[in-house]
Amino acid sequence: MKAILKSTTNAQMLSEVDKTFLFYNAPVENQPFACYGVDTKAVIFSSAVVSLDSVDSALRVTTNNSEYVFEVVE
């Protein structure tokens, strides 16, 4: 899955907003979450997804420490 990071509460990732990320696997609640940047060297990794919300092409992934909102493009 390929998605564009639209917003995040993770201060270290704010500079990566509007960058494209590829997901290793689709996020699943209570499972590790990881994706890596296509046009950046950034990597997002969390030991567990707390909740997932999806509306149209928007995907919100909430982890123990942060929230990430993506626009799914593929």
Side-chain angles (χ1 to χ4, degrees):
M1 179 169 66
K2 186 187 281 188
I4 300 168
L5 180 63
K6 292 312 224 176
S7 68
T8 182
T9 59
N10 182 332
Q12 295 176 334
M13 294 299 293
L14 287 174
S15 63
E16 307 306 326
V17 169
D18 292 327
K19 302 287 174 71
T20 303
F21 287 81
L22 287 176
F23 290 70
Y24 292 106
N25 296 306
V28 176
E29 284 188 33
N30 301 315
Q31 296 293 317
F33 164 63
C35 61
Y36 62 96
V38 172
D39 47 3
T40 177
K41 293 183 180 187
V43 174
I44 299 172
F45 179 78
S46 177
S47 59
V49 172
V50 174
S51 69
L52 288 170
D53 292 308
S54 180
V55 177
D56 297 326
S57 63
L59 173 66
R60 183 173 64 194
V61 179
T62 305
T63 66
N64 288 328
N65 300 315
S66 301
E67 181 176 275
Y68 303 92
V69 177
F70 295 93
E71 178 185 349
V72 178
V73 293
E74 281 183 24

